[in-house]
Amino acid sequence: MTIPTETASRIATAVRTIATTTSSRLGSDCIWHALACRHLLAREGIDDARLVAGYAAWRVDGKAPGAVVCHHVDGVPCDPASGGLAFHSWVSCGSQVFDATTYQLRGKMALMDTADGGRTPVRWSPPYVLVERKQCHSWRSVRDGFRAGLSCYDAIPAITTRVAGHPDTHLEADAIDLLEQVYARVKDGNQLVLIGPCGIAATA
């Protein structure tokens, strides 16, 4: 099945509103975002959406050479002995890639700038990405291509299996209840202000 743009927008709004008010791991909570999106897609009858994991990268500015946020083995070296793994999770549905975490790109780049003293411009940080897989680019194209909005989504079966098999890869019942309540308000066109332990956010 195909994810309609309007459905993706509504789902991304609901998921973003909850994450920004409740997540203590904002910026490293892509699995939760993917699970939440998949759940709401299934609620809309799109039941062939699946969580995938692998490598991803996004070019957030078309001029600055270092304006790339990445979760990629070639861009974020990890010490194998540490058990660390650079990866990202998103939703795959047929030929589509759906990622509701891209609103975090500005914050992720700010963290990178804090670490290295840079001041990187961010001209592309959309609320979500919904694209055909053929519109995605290779890691090197994103790294070397001076055009904001280039993105790389490389699904890696071994990483997907590892993520999907982890005992924490599921939504708790209370999280599902909140997700469905917020989504229902968004779908009905009603603005909702959510107050959580990590902040306040509105759906519109």
Side-chain angles (χ1 to χ4, degrees), residues 59-69 105-106 108-114 116-123:
R59 175 159 281 283
V60 298
D61 183 77
K63 296 181 179 179
V68 175
V69 177
L105 293 178
R106 191 175 300 277
K108 290 181 179 182
M109 181 54 74
L111 289 175
M112 292 168 61
D113 281 345
T114 298
D116 62 17
R119 297 183 64 181
T120 308
V122 177
R123 308 194 187 281

Side-chain angles (χ1 to χ4, degrees), residues 50-55 85-90 92 133 153-166:
R50 59 190 182 90
L51 177 149
V52 295
Y55 302 135
L85 179 65
F87 75 93
H88 185 63
S89 291
W90 61 93
S92 175
R133 194 171 295 112
Y153 288 93
D154 291 336
I156 307 297
I159 298 178
T160 299
T161 298
R162 179 173 173 179
V163 169
H166 195 280

Side-chain angles (χ1 to χ4, degrees), residues 131-185:
V131 295
E132 292 290 321
R133 194 171 295 112
K134 64 183 180 182
Q135 295 176 271
C136 298
H137 298 79
S138 69
W139 152 244
R140 287 182 175 81
S141 295
V142 174
R143 182 193 63 188
D144 301 334
F146 286 85
R147 180 162 62 87
L150 296 177
S151 60
C152 164
Y153 288 93
D154 291 336
I156 307 297
I159 298 178
T160 299
T161 298
R162 179 173 173 179
V163 169
H166 195 280
D168 291 337
T169 304
H170 66 279
L171 294 175
E172 301 287 350
D174 55 349
I176 291 174
D177 288 343
L178 178 60
L179 190 61
E180 293 187 347
Q181 289 178 43
V182 172
Y183 181 65
R185 293 292 295 272

